[in-house]
Amino acid sequence: MPTLILVRHGRSTANTAGLLAGWTPGVALDERGIAQAAALPGRLAELPISEVVTSPLQRCQETVRPLLDARPGLRAHTDERIGECHYGDWSGRKLAELKDEPLMEVVQAHPSAAAFPGGESMRAMQTRAAEAVREWNARVERDHGADAVYLMCSHGDIIKSLVADALGLHLDLFQRISVEPCSITAIRYTRLRPFLVRLGDTGDFASLVPREEPPGQDATVGGGAGAP
């Protein structure tokens, strides 16, 4: 079965503003995100990518554009099932405000029970994304062969949930996974089990440098802004 390259979108204006974007329209890449997207074709230059599948949201579309421009023959598809979690009434709100919501404790410690008001549950988010991957695995193998490589550009919580699915981890453990903007995660699927071969690879270790104000113990809903 194929190898899936998961790319989180580049850093967005919502990331730097500390907003939970969700499906809010008009959220674009910021200056750093544009540079991250521009570097993506070089980072992936040696990979024979057969298909590109992307979330319909602007920040993902902008992230894959340089790759598509560099490979004119590469076909791109949009799939809503790998779009961001539907955060409902939380969409567009500041993460600093949301941390005091009672639901945030559930999102952090028991995400399989978390459902966003006016939105969807995290369990439903994982299910739709995993179903999309399985369908695309079959389609890519049919059209390009069992050793094909294809790429999906998606969002932090989606990618974390797919990694948890590949590793056989309960969704309640997925907040232990971190993927930075424009990071690359690779999963090689086989008939019996997937293999996680890369996780959140940016080639940049700046995010590991100790900061004056250390990061908190909670995971950033939506994925965080990455290295400063």
Side-chain angles (χ1 to χ4, degrees), residues 101-183:
E101 294 277 355
L103 178 60
M104 182 60 85
E105 186 177 11
V106 182
V107 170
Q108 293 293 329
H110 192 17
S112 65
F116 296 98
E120 70 179 333
S121 69
M122 302 198 91
R123 189 174 63 254
M125 172 199 75
Q126 183 187 43
T127 297
R128 64 172 164 85
E131 287 178 349
V133 166
R134 280 158 176 75
E135 289 182 20
W136 277 102
N137 281 348
R139 179 172 173 175
V140 169
E141 181 172 5
R142 181 197 68 203
D143 294 345
H144 302 283
D147 295 327
V149 177
Y150 75 107
L151 181 147
M152 280 186 170
C153 185
S154 188
H155 307 265
D157 281 349
I158 295 287
I159 294 172
K160 287 162 56 178
S161 74
L162 290 171
V163 170
D165 175 76
L167 292 176
L169 292 177
H170 197 282
L171 184 61
D172 287 345
L173 300 179
F174 101 125
Q175 297 290 27
R176 302 182 182 195
I177 300 165
S178 176
V179 289
E180 292 196 2
C182 226
S183 64

Coordinates of all heavy atoms in Angstrom, one line a residue, residues 101-183:
E101 N -12.5 27.6 29.7 CA -13.7 26.9 29.5 C -13.7 25.5 30.1 O -12.7 24.8 29.9 CB -14.0 26.8 28.0 CG -14.3 28.2 27.3 CD -15.7 28.6 27.5 OE1 -16.5 27.8 28.0 OE2 -16.0 29.7 27.0
P102 N -14.7 25.1 30.8 CA -14.7 23.7 31.3 C -14.5 22.6 30.3 O -13.8 21.6 30.6 CB -16.1 23.5 31.9 CG -16.6 24.9 32.3 CD -16.0 25.8 31.2
L103 N -14.9 22.8 29.1 CA -14.7 21.9 28.0 C -13.3 21.7 27.7 O -12.8 20.6 27.2 CB -15.5 22.3 26.8 CG -15.4 21.4 25.5 CD1 -15.8 19.9 25.8 CD2 -16.1 22.0 24.3
M104 N -12.4 22.7 27.9 CA -11.0 22.6 27.5 C -10.3 21.5 28.3 O -9.5 20.8 27.8 CB -10.3 23.9 27.8 CG -8.8 23.9 27.4 SD -8.6 23.5 25.6 CE -8.7 25.1 24.9
E105 N -10.7 21.3 29.6 CA -10.1 20.2 30.4 C -10.5 18.8 29.7 O -9.6 17.9 29.7 CB -10.7 20.3 31.8 CG -10.0 19.3 32.7 CD -10.4 19.4 34.2 OE1 -11.4 20.1 34.4 OE2 -9.8 18.7 35.0
V106 N -11.7 18.7 29.2 CA -12.1 17.5 28.5 C -11.2 17.3 27.2 O -10.8 16.2 26.9 CB -13.6 17.5 28.2 CG1 -14.0 16.2 27.5 CG2 -14.4 17.7 29.5
V107 N -11.1 18.4 26.5 CA -10.3 18.4 25.2 C -8.9 17.9 25.5 O -8.3 17.1 24.7 CB -10.3 19.8 24.6 CG1 -9.3 19.8 23.4 CG2 -11.7 20.1 24.1
Q108 N -8.3 18.3 26.6 CA -7.0 18.0 27.0 C -6.8 16.6 27.5 O -5.9 15.8 27.1 CB -6.4 19.0 28.0 CG -6.2 20.4 27.5 CD -5.2 20.5 26.5 OE1 -4.2 19.8 26.5 NE2 -5.3 21.4 25.6
A109 N -7.7 16.1 28.4 CA -7.5 14.9 29.1 C -8.4 13.7 28.6 O -8.0 12.6 28.8 CB -7.8 15.1 30.6
H110 N -9.5 14.0 27.9 CA -10.4 13.0 27.5 C -11.1 13.4 26.2 O -12.3 13.5 26.0 CB -11.5 12.8 28.6 CG -12.4 11.6 28.4 ND1 -12.1 10.6 27.6 CD2 -13.6 11.3 29.0 CE1 -13.0 9.7 27.7 NE2 -14.0 10.1 28.5
P111 N -10.2 13.7 25.1 CA -10.7 14.2 23.9 C -11.8 13.3 23.2 O -12.6 13.8 22.4 CB -9.5 14.4 23.0 CG -8.4 13.6 23.7 CD -8.8 13.6 25.1
S112 N -11.8 12.0 23.4 CA -12.8 11.2 22.8 C -14.2 11.5 23.3 O -15.1 11.1 22.6 CB -12.4 9.7 23.0 OG -12.6 9.4 24.4
A113 N -14.3 12.2 24.4 CA -15.6 12.6 24.9 C -15.9 14.1 24.6 O -17.0 14.6 24.9 CB -15.7 12.4 26.4
A114 N -15.0 14.8 23.9 CA -15.2 16.2 23.6 C -16.0 16.5 22.4 O -15.7 15.9 21.3 CB -13.8 16.9 23.5
A115 N -17.0 17.3 22.5 CA -17.8 17.8 21.4 C -17.9 19.3 21.5 O -18.3 19.8 22.5 CB -19.2 17.1 21.3
F116 N -17.6 20.0 20.4 CA -17.6 21.4 20.5 C -19.0 22.0 20.2 O -19.7 21.5 19.3 CB -16.6 22.0 19.4 CG -15.2 21.6 19.7 CD1 -14.6 20.5 19.0 CD2 -14.4 22.3 20.6 CE1 -13.3 20.2 19.3 CE2 -13.1 21.9 20.9 CZ -12.6 20.9 20.2
P117 N -19.4 23.0 21.0 CA -20.8 23.5 20.9 C -21.0 24.1 19.5 O -20.2 24.9 19.0 CB -20.8 24.6 22.0 CG -19.4 24.9 22.3 CD -18.6 23.7 22.1
G118 N -22.0 23.6 18.8 CA -22.3 24.1 17.5 C -21.3 23.5 16.5 O -21.4 23.9 15.3
G119 N -20.5 22.6 16.9 CA -19.5 22.0 15.9 C -19.6 20.4 15.9 O -20.7 19.9 16.0
E120 N -18.4 19.8 15.9 CA -18.4 18.3 15.9 C -17.6 17.8 17.0 O -16.9 18.5 17.7 CB -17.8 17.8 14.5 CG -16.3 18.1 14.4 CD -15.8 17.5 13.0 OE1 -16.4 16.5 12.5 OE2 -14.8 18.1 12.6
S121 N -17.7 16.5 17.2 CA -16.8 15.9 18.3 C -15.5 15.5 17.7 O -15.3 15.4 16.5 CB -17.5 14.6 18.7 OG -17.5 13.6 17.7
M122 N -14.5 15.4 18.6 CA -13.1 15.1 18.1 C -13.1 13.6 17.6 O -12.3 13.3 16.7 CB -12.1 15.3 19.3 CG -12.1 16.7 19.8 SD -10.6 17.1 20.7 CE -9.6 17.7 19.4
R123 N -14.0 12.8 18.1 CA -14.1 11.4 17.7 C -14.6 11.4 16.2 O -14.0 10.7 15.4 CB -15.0 10.7 18.6 CG -15.1 9.2 18.3 CD -15.9 8.4 19.4 NE -17.3 8.9 19.3 CZ -17.9 9.7 20.2 NH1 -17.2 10.1 21.2 NH2 -19.2 10.0 20.1
A124 N -15.6 12.2 15.9 CA -16.1 12.3 14.5 C -15.0 12.9 13.6 O -14.9 12.4 12.4 CB -17.3 13.2 14.5
M125 N -14.2 13.8 14.1 CA -13.1 14.4 13.3 C -12.1 13.3 12.9 O -11.7 13.2 11.7 CB -12.4 15.5 14.1 CG -11.1 16.0 13.5 SD -10.1 16.8 14.7 CE -9.4 15.4 15.6
Q126 N -11.7 12.5 13.9 CA -10.8 11.4 13.6 C -11.3 10.4 12.6 O -10.7 9.9 11.7 CB -10.3 10.7 14.9 CG -9.3 9.6 14.6 CD -9.0 8.8 15.9 OE1 -9.9 8.4 16.6 NE2 -7.7 8.6 16.1
T127 N -12.6 10.1 12.8 CA -13.2 9.0 12.0 C -13.3 9.4 10.5 O -12.9 8.7 9.6 CB -14.6 8.7 12.5 OG1 -14.6 8.2 13.8 CG2 -15.3 7.7 11.6
R128 N -13.7 10.7 10.2 CA -13.8 11.1 8.8 C -12.4 11.2 8.2 O -12.3 10.9 7.0 CB -14.5 12.4 8.7 CG -13.9 13.7 9.4 CD -14.7 14.9 9.1 NE -14.4 16.1 9.9 CZ -13.4 16.9 9.8 NH1 -12.5 16.7 8.8 NH2 -13.2 17.9 10.6
A129 N -11.4 11.7 9.0 CA -10.1 11.8 8.4 C -9.5 10.4 8.1 O -8.9 10.2 7.0 CB -9.2 12.6 9.3
A130 N -9.7 9.5 9.0 CA -9.1 8.1 8.8 C -9.8 7.4 7.6 O -9.2 6.7 6.9 CB -9.3 7.3 10.1
E131 N -11.1 7.6 7.5 CA -11.8 7.1 6.4 C -11.3 7.6 5.0 O -11.2 6.9 4.1 CB -13.3 7.3 6.5 CG -14.0 6.4 7.6 CD -15.5 6.7 7.7 OE1 -15.9 7.7 7.2 OE2 -16.1 6.0 8.5
A132 N -11.0 8.9 5.0 CA -10.5 9.6 3.8 C -9.2 9.0 3.5 O -8.9 8.6 2.3 CB -10.4 11.1 4.1
V133 N -8.3 8.8 4.4 CA -7.0 8.2 4.2 C -7.1 6.8 3.6 O -6.4 6.4 2.6 CB -6.1 8.2 5.4 CG1 -4.9 7.3 5.3 CG2 -5.7 9.6 5.8
R134 N -8.0 6.0 4.2 CA -8.1 4.6 3.7 C -8.7 4.6 2.3 O -8.2 3.8 1.4 CB -9.0 3.8 4.7 CG -8.2 3.3 5.9 CD -9.1 3.0 7.1 NE -8.3 2.5 8.2 CZ -7.5 3.2 9.0 NH1 -7.4 4.5 8.8 NH2 -6.8 2.7 9.9
E135 N -9.6 5.5 2.0 CA -10.1 5.5 0.6 C -9.0 6.0 -0.4 O -8.9 5.5 -1.5 CB -11.3 6.4 0.5 CG -12.6 5.8 1.2 CD -13.8 6.7 1.1 OE1 -13.8 7.6 0.2 OE2 -14.7 6.5 1.9
W136 N -8.2 7.0 0.0 CA -7.2 7.5 -0.9 C -6.1 6.5 -1.0 O -5.5 6.4 -2.1 CB -6.7 8.8 -0.4 CG -7.5 10.0 -0.8 CD1 -8.4 10.7 -0.1 CD2 -7.5 10.5 -2.1 NE1 -9.0 11.6 -0.9 CE2 -8.5 11.6 -2.1 CE3 -6.9 10.2 -3.3 CZ2 -8.8 12.3 -3.3 CZ3 -7.2 11.0 -4.4 CH2 -8.1 12.0 -4.4
N137 N -5.8 5.7 0.0 CA -4.8 4.6 -0.1 C -5.2 3.7 -1.2 O -4.4 3.3 -2.1 CB -4.7 3.9 1.2 CG -3.9 4.6 2.3 OD1 -3.2 5.5 2.0 ND2 -3.9 4.1 3.5
A138 N -6.4 3.3 -1.2 CA -6.9 2.3 -2.2 C -6.9 3.0 -3.6 O -6.5 2.3 -4.6 CB -8.3 1.9 -1.9
R139 N -7.3 4.2 -3.7 CA -7.3 4.9 -5.0 C -5.9 5.1 -5.5 O -5.7 4.9 -6.7 CB -8.0 6.2 -4.8 CG -8.1 7.1 -6.1 CD -9.0 8.3 -5.8 NE -9.0 9.2 -7.0 CZ -9.8 10.3 -7.0 NH1 -10.6 10.6 -6.0 NH2 -9.7 11.1 -8.1
V140 N -5.0 5.5 -4.7 CA -3.6 5.8 -5.1 C -3.0 4.5 -5.5 O -2.3 4.4 -6.6 CB -2.8 6.5 -4.1 CG1 -1.3 6.5 -4.4 CG2 -3.3 7.9 -3.9
E141 N -3.2 3.4 -4.8 CA -2.6 2.1 -5.1 C -3.2 1.6 -6.5 O -2.4 1.1 -7.3 CB -2.9 1.1 -4.0 CG -2.3 -0.3 -4.3 CD -2.4 -1.3 -3.2 OE1 -3.0 -0.9 -2.2 OE2 -1.8 -2.4 -3.3
R142 N -4.5 1.8 -6.7 CA -5.1 1.4 -7.9 C -4.5 2.1 -9.1 O -4.2 1.5 -10.2 CB -6.6 1.6 -7.8 CG -7.4 1.2 -9.1 CD -8.8 1.8 -9.0 NE -8.7 3.3 -9.2 CZ -9.6 4.2 -8.8 NH1 -10.7 3.7 -8.2 NH2 -9.4 5.5 -9.0
D143 N -4.3 3.4 -8.9 CA -3.9 4.3 -10.1 C -2.4 4.3 -10.3 O -1.9 4.6 -11.4 CB -4.5 5.7 -9.9 CG -6.0 5.7 -10.0 OD1 -6.6 4.8 -10.4 OD2 -6.6 6.8 -9.6
H144 N -1.6 4.1 -9.2 CA -0.2 4.4 -9.3 C 0.7 3.2 -8.7 O 1.9 3.3 -8.8 CB 0.2 5.7 -8.5 CG -0.5 6.9 -9.0 ND1 -0.2 7.6 -10.1 CD2 -1.6 7.5 -8.5 CE1 -1.0 8.6 -10.3 NE2 -1.9 8.6 -9.3
G145 N 0.1 2.2 -8.2 CA 0.8 1.1 -7.7 C 1.0 1.1 -6.2 O 0.9 2.1 -5.6
A146 N 1.4 -0.1 -5.7 CA 1.5 -0.3 -4.3 C 2.7 0.5 -3.6 O 2.6 0.7 -2.4 CB 1.7 -1.8 -4.0
D147 N 3.7 0.9 -4.4 CA 4.8 1.6 -3.8 C 4.7 3.1 -4.0 O 5.6 3.9 -3.8 CB 6.1 1.1 -4.5 CG 6.4 -0.3 -4.2 OD1 6.1 -0.7 -3.1 OD2 7.0 -1.0 -5.0
A148 N 3.5 3.6 -4.4 CA 3.3 5.0 -4.7 C 3.4 5.9 -3.4 O 3.2 5.4 -2.3 CB 1.9 5.2 -5.3
V149 N 3.8 7.1 -3.6 CA 3.8 8.1 -2.5 C 2.8 9.2 -2.9 O 2.8 9.7 -4.0 CB 5.2 8.7 -2.4 CG1 5.3 9.8 -1.3 CG2 6.3 7.6 -2.1
Y150 N 2.0 9.6 -1.9 CA 1.1 10.7 -2.1 C 1.1 11.7 -0.9 O 1.6 11.3 0.1 CB -0.3 10.3 -2.5 CG -1.2 9.7 -1.4 CD1 -2.2 10.5 -0.9 CD2 -0.9 8.5 -0.9 CE1 -3.1 10.0 0.1 CE2 -1.8 7.9 0.1 CZ -2.8 8.7 0.6 OH -3.6 8.2 1.5
L151 N 0.6 12.9 -1.1 CA 0.7 13.9 -0.1 C -0.7 14.4 0.3 O -1.5 14.6 -0.6 CB 1.6 15.0 -0.6 CG 1.9 16.2 0.3 CD1 3.3 16.8 0.1 CD2 0.8 17.4 0.1
M152 N -0.9 14.6 1.6 CA -2.1 15.3 2.1 C -1.6 16.5 2.9 O -0.8 16.4 3.7 CB -2.9 14.4 3.0 CG -3.8 13.4 2.3 SD -4.8 12.5 3.5 CE -5.9 11.7 2.3
C153 N -2.2 17.7 2.6 CA -2.0 18.9 3.4 C -3.2 19.2 4.2 O -4.3 19.4 3.7 CB -1.7 20.1 2.4 SG -1.2 21.6 3.4
S154 N -3.0 19.2 5.5 CA -4.1 19.2 6.5 C -3.7 20.1 7.7 O -2.9 21.0 7.6 CB -4.6 17.8 6.8 OG -5.8 17.9 7.6
H155 N -4.3 19.8 8.8 CA -4.3 20.6 10.0 C -3.8 19.9 11.2 O -3.8 18.6 11.2 CB -5.7 21.2 10.3 CG -6.3 21.9 9.1 ND1 -6.2 23.3 8.9 CD2 -7.0 21.4 8.0 CE1 -6.8 23.6 7.8 NE2 -7.3 22.5 7.2
G156 N -3.3 20.6 12.2 CA -2.7 20.0 13.4 C -3.5 18.9 14.0 O -3.0 17.8 14.2
D157 N -4.7 19.1 14.4 CA -5.5 18.1 15.1 C -5.8 17.0 14.2 O -5.9 15.8 14.7 CB -6.8 18.8 15.7 CG -6.5 19.5 17.0 OD1 -5.4 19.4 17.5 OD2 -7.4 20.2 17.4
I158 N -6.0 17.2 12.9 CA -6.3 16.1 12.0 C -5.1 15.2 11.9 O -5.2 14.0 12.0 CB -6.7 16.7 10.6 CG1 -8.0 17.5 10.6 CG2 -6.7 15.6 9.5 CD1 -9.2 16.6 10.7
I159 N -3.9 15.8 11.7 CA -2.7 15.0 11.5 C -2.4 14.2 12.8 O -2.1 13.0 12.8 CB -1.5 15.9 11.1 CG1 -1.8 16.5 9.7 CG2 -0.2 15.1 11.2 CD1 -0.7 17.5 9.3
K160 N -2.5 14.8 14.0 CA -2.3 14.2 15.2 C -3.3 13.0 15.4 O -2.9 11.9 15.8 CB -2.5 15.1 16.4 CG -1.3 16.1 16.5 CD -1.7 17.3 17.4 CE -2.2 16.9 18.8 NZ -2.5 18.1 19.6
S161 N -4.5 13.1 15.0 CA -5.5 12.1 15.1 C -5.1 10.9 14.1 O -5.3 9.7 14.4 CB -6.9 12.6 14.8 OG -7.2 12.8 13.5
L162 N -4.6 11.2 12.9 CA -4.2 10.2 12.0 C -3.0 9.4 12.5 O -2.8 8.2 12.3 CB -3.9 10.8 10.6 CG -5.2 11.3 9.9 CD1 -4.8 12.1 8.6 CD2 -6.1 10.1 9.5
V163 N -2.1 10.2 13.1 CA -0.9 9.5 13.7 C -1.3 8.5 14.8 O -0.9 7.4 14.9 CB 0.1 10.5 14.3 CG1 1.2 9.8 15.1 CG2 0.7 11.3 13.1
A164 N -2.3 9.0 15.7 CA -2.8 8.1 16.7 C -3.4 6.9 16.1 O -3.2 5.8 16.6 CB -3.8 8.9 17.6
D165 N -4.2 7.1 15.1 CA -4.8 5.9 14.4 C -3.8 5.0 13.8 O -3.9 3.7 14.0 CB -5.7 6.5 13.2 CG -6.3 5.4 12.4 OD1 -7.3 4.7 12.9 OD2 -5.8 5.1 11.3
A166 N -2.7 5.5 13.2 CA -1.7 4.6 12.7 C -1.0 3.8 13.7 O -0.6 2.7 13.5 CB -0.7 5.5 11.9
L167 N -0.8 4.5 14.9 CA 0.0 3.8 16.0 C -0.9 2.9 16.9 O -0.4 2.3 17.8 CB 0.6 4.9 16.9 CG 1.8 5.6 16.2 CD1 2.3 6.7 17.1 CD2 2.9 4.7 15.8
G168 N -2.2 2.9 16.6 CA -3.1 2.2 17.4 C -3.3 2.8 18.8 O -3.7 2.1 19.8
L169 N -3.1 4.1 18.9 CA -3.3 4.8 20.1 C -4.8 5.3 20.3 O -5.4 5.7 19.3 CB -2.4 6.1 20.2 CG -0.9 5.9 20.3 CD1 -0.3 7.3 20.3 CD2 -0.5 5.2 21.6
H170 N -5.3 5.2 21.5 CA -6.6 5.7 21.8 C -6.6 7.2 21.5 O -5.6 7.9 21.8 CB -7.0 5.4 23.2 CG -8.5 5.6 23.5 ND1 -9.1 6.8 23.6 CD2 -9.5 4.7 23.6 CE1 -10.4 6.6 23.9 NE2 -10.6 5.3 23.8
L171 N -7.7 7.8 21.1 CA -7.7 9.2 20.8 C -7.4 10.0 22.1 O -6.9 11.2 22.0 CB -9.1 9.6 20.3 CG -9.3 11.1 19.8 CD1 -8.4 11.5 18.7 CD2 -10.8 11.3 19.4
D172 N -7.7 9.5 23.2 CA -7.4 10.2 24.5 C -5.9 10.5 24.7 O -5.5 11.3 25.5 CB -7.9 9.4 25.7 CG -9.5 9.5 25.8 OD1 -10.0 10.4 25.1 OD2 -10.0 8.7 26.5
L173 N -5.1 9.8 23.9 CA -3.6 10.0 24.0 C -3.1 10.9 22.9 O -1.9 11.2 22.9 CB -2.9 8.7 23.9 CG -3.2 7.7 25.0 CD1 -2.5 6.4 24.8 CD2 -2.9 8.2 26.4
F174 N -3.9 11.4 22.0 CA -3.4 12.1 20.8 C -2.8 13.5 21.2 O -2.0 14.0 20.4 CB -4.5 12.2 19.7 CG -5.2 13.5 19.6 CD1 -5.3 14.1 18.4 CD2 -5.9 14.0 20.6 CE1 -6.0 15.3 18.2 CE2 -6.6 15.2 20.5 CZ -6.7 15.8 19.3
Q175 N -3.2 14.1 22.3 CA -2.6 15.4 22.7 C -1.2 15.2 23.1 O -0.5 16.3 23.3 CB -3.4 16.0 23.9 CG -4.9 16.3 23.6 CD -5.1 17.4 22.6 OE1 -4.2 17.7 21.8 NE2 -6.2 18.1 22.7
R176 N -0.6 14.0 23.2 CA 0.8 13.9 23.5 C 1.6 14.0 22.2 O 2.9 14.0 22.3 CB 1.0 12.5 24.1 CG 0.3 12.2 25.4 CD 0.6 10.9 26.0 NE -0.2 10.6 27.2 CZ 0.0 9.7 28.0 NH1 1.1 8.9 27.9 NH2 -0.7 9.5 29.1
I177 N 1.0 14.1 21.1 CA 1.7 14.3 19.8 C 1.7 15.7 19.4 O 0.8 16.5 19.6 CB 0.9 13.5 18.7 CG1 0.8 12.0 19.1 CG2 1.5 13.6 17.3 CD1 -0.2 11.2 18.3
S178 N 2.8 16.2 18.8 CA 3.0 17.6 18.4 C 3.5 17.6 16.9 O 4.4 16.9 16.5 CB 4.0 18.3 19.3 OG 4.3 19.6 18.8
V179 N 2.8 18.4 16.1 CA 3.2 18.7 14.7 C 3.2 20.2 14.5 O 2.2 20.8 14.6 CB 2.3 17.9 13.7 CG1 2.6 16.4 13.8 CG2 0.9 18.2 13.9
E180 N 4.4 20.7 14.1 CA 4.5 22.2 13.9 C 4.0 22.6 12.5 O 3.9 21.7 11.6 CB 5.9 22.6 14.1 CG 6.4 22.5 15.6 CD 7.7 23.3 15.8 OE1 8.2 23.9 14.9 OE2 8.2 23.2 16.9
P181 N 3.8 23.9 12.3 CA 3.5 24.3 10.9 C 4.5 23.9 9.9 O 5.7 24.0 10.1 CB 3.4 25.9 11.1 CG 3.1 26.1 12.5 CD 3.8 25.0 13.3
C182 N 3.9 23.4 8.8 CA 4.7 23.0 7.6 C 5.6 21.8 7.9 O 6.6 21.5 7.2 CB 5.5 24.1 7.0 SG 5.3 24.0 5.1
S183 N 5.3 21.1 9.0 CA 6.1 19.9 9.3 C 5.6 18.7 8.4 O 4.5 18.7 7.9 CB 6.0 19.5 10.8 OG 4.6 19.2 11.1

